[in-house]
Amino acid sequence: MQHRKYVLMLLLIAGMMTGTGCKKFLNVDPVDSMSGNNFWKSKDDVEKFMTGAYILLRNYTCMDGYSLLAMADYRCTAWVPSTQGTGRLYISDLNNNRIKNVLSSTASTSGGYGDFDQSKNTFGFKNMSNWGYMYRIVTSANTVIANIDSKDILDITEEERKKYKAEAIFLRCLTYFLMVRHWGDVPYVTDPSDDTPHERMNQIEVFKNCLAALKATKNDLPWTYPDPTLRGVRAMRGGALALMMEMNMWMACFDADNEKTYYQETVNLGTELIDQNGGAYELLPLENFKEIFKGSSKESLFEIGQDYNFGETFGLLATIADIVLRTPYKKNVNVTYLYYATPYLMQLYEPEMNGQTDKRIDNWFEQPNMYNNTGQFVFKKFLNTFATQQETENPNDAKILFRYVDAYLLRAEALEKLGRYAEAIADVNVIRNRAGAELYTGLETNQFGQQLSDAIWWERERELMGESSTFYDLVRTKRILSGQYTPFPITFDEFLNGAWTYPIHQDVMLANPKVKPNPFWM
């Protein structure tokens, strides 16, 4: 496979970029010192560096010691510790938004944390407050953008230059997207040699800059790749459009005066994604869920790949799977650590359980333990082959950031906000039809007595649960303020004060005095 050909070299490049320390909050080296004087001479050099950037993304989001993405499955959500699951105090702390407990170097060594320094490495808390790791990805992407037009690269076409630049812009914008959802306002940097201290830019302005860059380059990305092993793991036009939709829906939350504009733009982007992809993407039969979550399927718009055969093994908390599986799905494990809070799970599926059908019930939950809270609950959504099936191991699934379902569900949400109810219901029913569930009828209220906005919300929860989106969806819809949608709501004043963000590591602020902390965590 072409993208595996340079694995050893790319790991060396990634190591070169990640092993330089964090003397400044961005830790930016000049391009020539990062790349070497003999680099950027061929298309092969570009490919190596570009793939190295993807490796950095995987390293700092999913590998050992890093689980920035996975925190959204636990924080203020309805996943709760099993009465029989041992340890894992961090789950309750994340449930209750006690982020400082998780990050504190003086945290108790009892109650499931054990050796805390080791716990931080094992469970991936190392990058929860230090954004310096993520800026290394930004710097890597900026380096590609700064060098791709070099006249010294002779064996590359103009079309290929544009594609590589669009890939790098996508990675940079994706990284800013992840950081904004995590910390709110962040410094915005596009020059790889810029090591000057920057103030935090308002998150709306960050996204506007990203959206302008994506709009200018998205059409230089392919809808898909002839090589199916590249599908999803390399930037595609569908992934760029989904990212733009997510950004617009986030901005609608924090810039209410212009929310209608953002909703309309989301609709436009979703329509482009759905109507113009030429068959590049499709919703697979739900029974094929293993194929979907293994990765590189036609349902994937962008993912972070994992393959045991090439030494790509995610950290324990990169996905939720490690703590919701047991025997017979995982050897030597008798109980699961988590279960889904019964009232919340019933809110999701009770209409279907009472005489209706939904393929997600039987495919994703072990019966009759769907409502068990004593260690027998099993969530089967991520169930691909294990390397050894030992206790401390994840299944071999990809970390999918955007699926084709996002196009329908986000467009449905935006259409409802614009009062275009029939169109919104049609989009939701695409997802329900795939799940074999009863189709919604009516306009503002469905046959289950739910307002359409809530019906779309619960459909999104049914479809994306366990995919590291719940907390961020709670935030951007402000449903995090209501106990109707989460067992662990925060108050409006806490929300305004930044309780939805994460603290910023003191090393970041010591290196750059212009960076001020998020008020809630002061």
Side-chain angles (χ1 to χ4, degrees), residues 303-322:
E303 65 191 48
I304 299 173
Q306 177 187 206
D307 194 327
Y308 291 153
N309 295 325
F310 295 93
E312 301 166 356
T313 305
F314 287 168
L316 285 180
L317 287 192
T319 76
I320 201 169
D322 174 60

Side-chain angles (χ1 to χ4, degrees), residues 328-401:
Y329 312 99
K330 193 174 185 181
K331 291 181 180 178
N332 305 318
V333 179
N334 295 321
V335 298
T336 50
Y337 289 103
L338 286 187
Y339 69 97
Y340 221 111
T342 297
Y344 199 80
L345 196 55
M346 292 184 69
Q347 175 71 56
L348 286 173
Y349 287 110
E350 188 175 21
E352 281 75 13
M353 296 293 284
N354 292 330
Q356 301 300 326
T357 61
D358 191 315
K359 295 177 183 178
R360 291 168 292 199
I361 294 174
D362 289 327
N363 280 285
W364 293 352
F365 299 93
E366 183 188 69
Q367 304 299 338
N369 294 308
M370 187 171 176
Y371 296 109
N372 184 281
N373 65 0
T374 61
Q376 296 307 295
F377 171 89
V378 172
F379 187 53
K380 302 187 297 180
K381 193 174 187 180
F382 310 106
L383 204 58
N384 275 288
T385 306
F386 289 84
T388 63
Q389 289 199 325
Q390 297 304 307
E391 179 179 2
T392 54
E393 181 185 33
N394 272 315
N396 199 22
D397 294 84
K399 187 71 176 179
I400 299 178
L401 275 66

